[in-house]
Amino acid sequence: MASEKYYLGVDVGSVSTDLALLDSFGNLVEKVYLRTRGKPVEVLKEGLRIIEEKYPGIEINGVGTTGSGRALAGVVLGADVVKNEISTHAVAASRIFPDVRTVMEIGGQDSKIIIIRDGIPVDFAMNSVCAAGTGSFLDQQAARLEIPIEEFGYYALQAKNPVRIAGRCSVFAESDMIHKQQLGYGLPEIIAGLCEAMVRNYLNNVGKGKEIEEPIVFQGGVAANVGIRAAFEKELGCKVHVPEYYDVMGAIGAGILAREYILENKKKTNFKGFKITDFAFKTSSFECDGCPNHCEIVNIYENEKLIARWGYQCARWEAV
Amino acid sequence: MQITFPHMGDMAVAVKALFQELGFSVVVPPPISRKTLNLGVKYSPEFACLPFKINLGNFMEALDKGADLIVMGGGCGPCRFGYYAEVQREILQEMGYEFSMYVIEPGIINNIRKIRETFGPLPFRKVVSAVRLAWNKARAIDEIYKLVLEKRALEVEEGLVDKLYAGFIRKIDETMSLDEVRRLRREYREKIEDTSAKYKRGIPLKVGLVGEIYLVLEPFVNLEIEKRLGQLGVMVERDLYMTNWLLNFLHLRNDEKHIRRAARKYLGSFVGGHGIDSVGNTVRYSRRGFDGVIQLGPFTCMPEIIARSILPAVSKGEGIPVLTFFFDEHSADAGIQTRLEAFVDLLERKKRQRMKGLEYKGEIVYGQ
């Protein structure tokens, strides 16, 4: 096993931190899905430890990071590729469904649509103003109703007549759900109504003006929700495919892109190795008072050594 | 009399030269910062667009520094902008500022009388030399900046082009000599040309920028989108420049003819602001072989909203990817950066596919 070359893809998102270990052909060997819990670096180290324990002594040939924490994860790991989540999701979806024409992804706090033709993305959109239709909101509602999030979708499937919930804004959606509850509608009906409202909201905002054509792949954490899946199929009137590893597609994409980059450029990886799980990473921030912009500068330290800095707009803090 | 005016890109350099050469003292508003934005947002109607808010912030900061005459654009249209000066005047007066305001309105006769009333008699010769200096500065800035947009993508030493450009703006702002302006223009043209690698690897991506003029020209409000694109290795071109706009405004140039013709298939009428320009120029960039187009507009901007809803048809009809950004005071770096990176990836893959033809599909890109 030690002679095999592996690639690692890491997706540090708002809600979850995912790791995907790929073999030398780019196939998924192992996936790790952890909650970010607001501590991206700690959780990232935890994920690495899990992989190291399961595959002791493996050689990592390339590392790619993605997600909103991609830059941070990139400097912590020594990534070869730091990619935006739209590109990584598109790559992973095309890998698993080579004919895919539409990718819908709903994550913790963002949702996106990617239109793919002949294997390359030609158009995309991301939710811009509101997170009403994303995982965090579902999480919150599941907690409010005291239903485990894993079972949330199944409630929706039991509904006979979903009620109509106003889904434009998550605060109003919640008021509307409570209102319908007080009127006496059943829980499954309300949950199914919420799923339909979220799907409507997604198609009207993120999917507006996009040519949604089959085959459609639905991925991201929310794809686990069978209620949302069913609502999509009902609204679009066609089958929606959910890949087996729907929850770590971003990480898979990052790994594939890292592999592509290493092979194409015949590079050696920058990966610092599994030893970083013992390193101490620290961040500190301060407000620069050099001008009225008051930039919030963040310093990232590895074992007391400054390794990265961002948040500035001018040359004053460029040197690390 | 202490004259001030709103910022828009590097326009202040030329406007300042104009008034100083006429013998007036000028208070240039402090560079737009978060403070400017916060002031503007606090005292503006919420649904006014971002340019309104930044203008107001500029005025407040300049009045605090001692300015007492605001020069502002006006007119009847081409969008809500025509009404902005009036509303800003009311807001500032209500806040207790004491100042007068000169609003540039259409119609020459009207203006000449009003100029005399506001600024006193101006000798013709003095006007000619002031206009000439300001115009030459503006032309030089636009010419050099056009080069910056191209060369940022190719620079060898990261950040050098921007450093040179900042130096150029500082020097051209200081000088009051026409010859020096011309010399600086030549000097910096060469210096910036020299920043690129002699041996280029591949052809960089080229993106056309369209949209509402203030959002295109002012880097603070578009979150330095041109710089971000340059850092991603993308050459940027745009039609909107201060001098270009002025030439068209004074009917010394007629780009509108070409723009209307290009837009005709998708949009047949003037829809206010730069709406038809956004559509027409997207078609023109596509015909010139650009890889993509980015549209910028302030949130709630009617002309750009119209253009935005037509652009998907243009994108499909002309086969050019288009990305739209609407900005307001809530726009954040991270969202813009992610979308830009994804857009650039998309353009790159499309270009690679086009260059390699059908071979691309068989290649190991997504694995075996």
Side-chain angles (χ1 to χ4, degrees):
Chain A
M1 185 180 263
S3 63
E4 262 257 55
K5 310 264 190 235
Y6 290 89
Y7 297 91
L8 184 65
V10 177
D11 181 352
V12 180
S14 57
V15 172
S16 73
T17 294
D18 322 326
L19 288 83
L21 186 67
L22 310 180
D23 65 16
S24 54
F25 298 104
N27 294 317
L28 187 74
V29 180
E30 182 68 42
K31 67 159 197 173
V32 179
Y33 180 94
L34 299 164
R35 291 249 163 184
T36 308
R37 303 189 304 263
K39 290 176 282 193
V41 178
E42 285 315 303
V43 175
L44 183 57
K45 279 165 47 175
E46 189 186 324
L48 278 183
R49 251 178 245 128
I50 293 171
I51 288 186
E52 197 191 7
E53 264 165 38
K54 220 162 167 185
Y55 302 89
I58 59 163
E59 191 186 332
I60 300 290
N61 229 15
V63 175
T65 61
T66 187
S68 47
R70 62 184 179 277
L72 180 66
V75 296
V76 166
L77 293 168
D80 304 295
V81 171
V82 178
K83 268 285 171 201
N84 64 83
E85 46 273 37
I86 296 165
S87 300
T88 52
H89 275 284
V91 164
S94 314
R95 158 91 190 200
I96 288 157
F97 294 91
D99 301 327
V100 62
R101 291 170 77 77
T102 309
V103 180
M104 305 190 295
E105 196 270 346
I106 305 185
Q109 279 182 1
D110 61 22
S111 49
K112 33 192 160 311
I113 189 164
I114 309 161
I115 305 298
I116 296 180
R117 297 290 180 263
D118 300 326
I120 63 161
V122 293
D123 197 6
F124 67 86
M126 224 171 145
N127 61 329
S128 50
V129 282
C130 174
T134 59
S136 294
F137 177 56
L138 282 179
D139 245 2
Q140 206 184 317
Q141 291 312 311
R144 190 175 67 84
L145 299 168
E146 294 184 341
I147 297 171
I149 184 72
E150 294 79 13
E151 292 168 25
F152 200 73
Y154 292 101
Y155 275 82
L157 295 187
Q158 292 160 21
K160 289 189 191 75
N161 296 301
V163 295
R164 195 171 171 92
I165 303 281
R168 175 71 66 202
C169 158
S170 61
V171 177
F172 295 150
E174 184 173 327
S175 323
D176 207 22
M177 283 170 70
I178 293 171
H179 172 67
K180 296 278 153 62
Q181 228 170 277
Q182 321 293 44
L183 286 178
Y185 290 100
L187 202 54
E189 275 71 26
I190 292 174
I191 293 178
L194 176 68
C195 291
E196 288 186 0
M198 281 185 46
V199 164
R200 258 198 323 272
N201 193 20
Y202 173 91
L203 293 173
N204 281 333
N205 287 318
V206 185
K208 183 129 223 142
K210 303 277 177 265
E211 291 180 334
I212 302 177
E213 288 176 12
E214 285 186 272
I216 300 168
V217 171
F218 177 30
Q219 57 197 35
V222 174
N225 189 316
V226 288
I228 300 277
R229 241 189 269 178
F232 263 123
E233 293 190 337
K234 190 173 155 195
E235 190 73 29
L236 293 166
C238 63
K239 179 141 180 55
V240 169
H241 302 270
V242 175
E244 194 182 348
Y245 307 111
Y246 62 89
D247 52 348
V248 294
M249 293 297 272
I252 293 175
I256 292 171
L257 287 172
R259 173 178 174 274
E260 201 180 285
Y261 171 82
I262 293 283
L263 293 182
E264 257 178 36
N265 299 296
K266 301 189 174 61
K267 284 255 169 77
K268 267 196 72 140
T269 181
N270 291 327
F271 181 49
K272 296 174 186 166
F274 286 97
K275 64 177 190 293
I276 65 154
T277 53
D278 301 324
F279 288 1
F281 290 95
K282 222 176 62 192
T283 60
S284 73
S285 65
F286 62 94
E287 203 179 274
C288 171
D289 53 8
C291 80
N293 276 328
H294 295 292
C295 292
E296 288 148 19
I297 319 279
V298 182
N299 287 324
I300 319 283
Y301 297 93
E302 176 187 294
N303 295 339
E304 307 295 319
K305 190 180 137 237
L306 182 64
I307 54 167
R309 172 188 283 152
W310 46 69
Y312 54 81
Q313 289 175 28
C314 69
R316 186 172 174 190
W317 300 106
E318 246 161 41
V320 171
Chain B
M1 191 161 44
Q2 303 262 8
I3 300 177
T4 194
F5 45 83
H7 273 299
M8 179 162 80
D10 292 309
M11 182 184 83
V13 174
V15 182
K16 179 181 149 198
L18 176 75
F19 287 119
Q20 279 186 344
E21 198 64 3
L22 286 169
F24 299 107
S25 74
V26 173
V27 178
V28 178
I32 303 175
S33 67
R34 256 176 241 173
K35 188 183 158 209
T36 320
L37 178 68
N38 290 341
L39 283 174
V41 168
K42 190 169 169 190
Y43 294 102
S44 301
E46 198 207 336
F47 284 111
C49 69
L50 193 52
F52 180 102
K53 296 173 185 176
I54 304 275
N55 288 169
L56 191 71
N58 283 157
F59 296 152
M60 290 172 65
E61 284 183 297
L63 292 173
D64 288 339
K65 276 177 69 184
D68 55 9
L69 172 64
I70 297 171
V71 177
M72 174 68 179
C76 25
C79 61
R80 297 190 283 185
F81 177 76
Y83 189 47
Y84 279 6
E86 304 307 324
V87 181
Q88 285 160 343
R89 187 203 323 252
E90 297 260 322
I91 293 172
L92 291 169
Q93 275 170 353
E94 251 172 51
M95 287 166 66
Y97 281 111
E98 280 178 27
F99 63 98
S100 49
M101 199 169 197
Y102 176 71
V103 184
I104 306 163
E105 300 284 359
I108 292 178
I109 305 294
N110 214 348
N111 266 318
I112 288 178
R113 211 181 55 224
K114 254 175 76 188
I115 287 173
R116 193 168 299 155
E117 274 168 22
T118 317
F119 300 98
L122 298 169
F124 184 67
R125 189 175 292 191
K126 222 169 156 185
V127 173
V128 170
S129 82
V131 168
R132 189 194 283 157
L133 178 69
W135 179 250
N136 272 281
K137 281 194 178 190
R139 282 296 282 235
I141 290 169
D142 283 355
E143 185 192 305
I144 298 296
Y145 194 66
K146 197 172 177 167
L147 199 63
V148 167
L149 288 182
E150 186 190 322
K151 296 295 177 186
R152 257 192 205 131
L154 305 169
E155 66 186 2
V156 183
E157 189 191 325
E158 210 177 305
L160 184 60
V161 170
D162 278 298
K163 225 173 270 170
L164 284 171
Y165 182 68
F168 167 73
I169 289 293
R170 207 177 46 243
K171 281 187 188 161
I172 205 158
D173 190 33
E174 279 163 9
T175 183
M176 281 294 158
S177 132
L178 203 55
D179 290 337
E180 179 65 6
V181 170
R182 290 185 178 135
R183 197 192 62 72
L184 284 169
R185 183 170 166 175
R186 271 196 308 274
E187 181 191 330
Y188 276 88
R189 174 162 262 286
E190 279 166 25
K191 275 190 179 165
I192 293 174
E193 293 269 12
D194 270 353
T195 54
S196 351
K198 288 235 166 57
Y199 306 100
K200 284 185 282 192
R201 263 183 306 147
I203 311 158
L205 292 169
K206 230 173 163 183
V207 162
L209 219 52
V210 301
E212 190 275 333
I213 186 165
Y214 191 86
L215 265 289
V216 173
L217 260 52
E218 179 49 59
F220 181 87
V221 291
N222 65 34
L223 303 175
E224 303 198 304
I225 199 160
E226 294 166 329
K227 200 180 196 174
R228 288 171 196 271
L229 282 166
Q231 284 164 351
L232 290 169
V234 178
M235 282 179 163
V236 181
E237 200 175 308
R238 54 162 143 109
D239 245 36
L240 279 170
Y241 283 95
M242 200 56 223
T243 51
N244 211 359
W245 178 82
L246 210 59
L247 284 175
N248 278 290
F249 182 73
L250 299 170
H251 297 288
L252 296 170
R253 227 182 116 152
N254 194 357
D255 290 330
E256 207 192 304
K257 199 173 59 193
H258 306 290
I259 290 167
R260 273 176 177 270
R261 193 176 303 147
R264 192 179 297 151
K265 208 167 132 193
Y266 304 97
L267 175 63
S269 55
F270 178 72
V271 292
H274 291 86
I276 195 166
D277 302 51
S278 294
V279 173
N281 281 328
T282 301
V283 175
R284 291 169 83 201
Y285 288 133
S286 164
R287 288 186 188 153
R288 287 177 51 203
F290 277 55
D291 297 290
V293 166
I294 294 180
Q295 181 205 14
L296 308 178
F299 190 55
T300 73
C301 173
M302 186 268 289
E304 293 305 323
I305 291 171
I306 295 174
R308 158 82 180 88
S309 55
I310 294 168
L311 284 175
V314 182
S315 172
K316 201 176 169 205
E318 307 291 320
I320 189 163
V322 178
L323 181 66
T324 299
F325 288 112
F326 281 110
F327 292 90
D328 65 5
E329 60 268 29
H330 305 295
S331 301
D333 283 7
I336 306 287
Q337 188 65 24
T338 299
R339 286 169 183 77
L340 274 185
E341 284 177 18
F343 190 62
V344 170
D345 277 350
L346 180 155
L347 300 184
E348 225 159 55
R349 292 211 172 240
K350 191 170 177 238
K351 186 165 201 157
R352 264 208 275 173
Q353 187 201 40
R354 203 174 55 210
M355 288 167 85
K356 286 188 183 169
L358 290 169
E359 260 175 85
Y360 185 78
K361 273 193 213 164
E363 196 200 349
I364 306 174
V365 173
Y366 302 122
Q368 334 95 297

